[in-house]
Amino acid sequence: MPLVDSERVKAGPGCDPMAGRIAFEPLKAAWWAAHGLGGLAALLFFPSWGGFAVFILLTGLTICAGHSVGMHRLLIHRAFSTPLWLERLLVWLGTLVGMAGPMGMIRAHDMRDWHQRQASCPPHPSHDAGFFRDAYWQLMCSYRLKHPPRLEIEPEVARDPVYRFIERTWMAQQLPLAVLLFLIGGWSWLLWGICLRVWVSLTMHWMVGHYCHRSGHQGWHIAGLPVQGYNLPGWSLVTFGENWHGNHHAFPHSARLGVEKGQLDPGYWFIRTLEALGLATGVKLPASEPPRDGLTPIATP
């Protein structure tokens, strides 16, 4: 049975979530900045409708099918099941977003989730900083604990040869796509389809996380936790449903994030399409598992 969320994090004696420091990560910062410069070059020196179309199509594909559905709802939360070949394809598309490989994404997500479930949560994993400071922390730094918990990723993922290869080469996974784009559309398609796409994806992912942990619509409250999730109405078609983060805090097992009336969730639409094609099974909804301890609805006027 695959592990999900904080089940993977094993905290031993002396593990204090507050005993850590924020450390600058040169490679992480250089990755973000280099794609930003390439994206700026695309806008200034290679403006084209073709490049813009490539940017829109690849961003939608990698964020929706890859990150939101493949990495987040499938690999991390196991909110549904697919054939292994399709799971690997979706996870690979998620890697093309440019954040990390499969194990790296599990580690980043589950450690942040573990921090936010503790009685006290430091400002880095809780996004408890101003706009620019949090951008610097999230896009260029990491939070290093003095005595970190142990992360145990399920063997079917940790030992999977495809996932292990993608994890070792996750930055280089952009290269085959970059070569293809260059051969078809030259520098314009490469810069729009790789550099600008990756920079926008990384930056927007941080911004959604920043605002979804600070304020917004809240349909649910989880008692006893220092960090609550909030929804960002109006951003569904840009984030593919990831803007319903308050709902996700309430029902982390659910494949559907837009659980209330009128909450659009394109990622869930994609999962339902896979289900209709016989390629997704065991799709979980909020009522599929018992509610979280301390979960209470918040009445809206």
Side-chain angles (χ1 to χ4, degrees):
M1 182 71 177
L3 299 175
V4 294
D5 303 318
S6 55
E7 294 177 3
R8 301 187 183 101
V9 181
K10 314 294 183 183
C15 181
D16 182 355
M18 302 298 293
R21 63 184 180 89
I22 295 171
F24 178 70
E25 298 282 357
L27 182 59
K28 184 177 181 179
W31 177 255
W32 178 78
H35 284 293
L37 290 174
L40 184 62
L43 296 172
L44 294 179
F45 305 118
F46 298 94
S48 75
W49 288 112
F52 177 72
V54 167
F55 166 78
I56 293 296
L57 291 172
L58 287 179
T59 300
L61 178 64
T62 55
I63 291 291
C64 181
H67 175 76
S68 180
V69 172
M71 282 285 197
H72 192 200
R73 308 188 206 199
L74 177 57
L75 184 71
I76 292 173
H77 288 287
R78 294 298 174 185
F80 66 103
S81 299
T82 66
L84 183 57
W85 67 266
L86 180 56
E87 177 184 316
R88 287 169 170 171
L89 175 60
L90 295 174
V91 169
W92 177 73
L93 289 173
T95 301
L96 291 182
V97 171
M99 284 187 277
M103 272 68 93
M105 284 300 302
I106 290 174
R107 182 179 303 107
H109 177 280
D110 282 21
M111 284 303 301
R112 185 179 302 276
D113 180 80
W114 176 80
H115 271 111
Q116 293 179 359
R117 290 174 183 252
Q118 306 307 301
S120 299
C121 182
H124 182 281
S126 64
H127 291 274
D128 188 20
F131 183 87
F132 293 105
R133 176 174 291 184
D134 193 52
Y136 168 67
W137 283 356
Q138 305 298 332
L139 295 170
M140 300 187 186
C141 303
S142 65
Y143 185 67
R144 300 181 183 177
L145 285 172
K146 187 175 181 180
H147 298 292
R150 186 175 73 258
L151 182 71
E152 293 184 358
I153 299 177
E154 54 270 32
E156 55 265 43
V157 174
R159 298 176 185 172
D160 186 288
V162 174
Y163 290 154
R164 289 170 66 90
F165 173 74
I166 294 175
E167 181 69 22
R168 291 193 305 270
T169 62
W170 70 268
M171 287 185 175
Q173 292 299 315
Q174 303 290 340
L175 292 177
L177 179 59
V179 171
L180 178 63
L181 292 175
F182 181 77
L183 292 176
I184 297 174
W187 284 108
S188 174
W189 281 31
L190 187 151
L191 293 173
W192 280 86
I194 300 294
C195 294
L196 185 62
R197 173 184 59 80
V198 169
W199 187 87
V200 168
S201 297
L202 294 175
T203 305
M204 289 301 296
H205 180 268
W206 157 69
M207 289 184 67
V208 171
H210 177 78
Y211 286 112
C212 281
H213 289 97
R214 298 177 66 85
S215 63
H217 168 267
Q218 191 176 20
W220 311 86
H221 182 268
I222 304 170
L225 296 186
V227 181
Q228 301 292 322
Y230 299 89
N231 298 321
L232 300 179
W235 290 90
S236 300
L237 300 181
V238 177
T239 66
F240 301 96
E242 294 292 325
N243 59 309
W244 308 119
H245 200 67
N247 298 343
H248 181 57
H249 271 229
F251 310 106
H253 61 273
S254 177
R256 184 176 182 178
L257 304 184
V259 300
E260 298 179 36
K261 184 178 180 179
Q263 294 181 342
L264 305 180
D265 187 354
Y268 180 64
W269 302 343
F270 180 70
I271 295 172
R272 288 297 304 272
T273 301
L274 294 178
E275 186 179 34
L277 295 172
L279 295 174
T281 57
V283 179
K284 297 180 182 178
L285 296 175
S288 297
E289 293 187 8
R292 292 183 61 172
D293 292 340
L295 180 66
T296 57
I298 297 177
T300 55

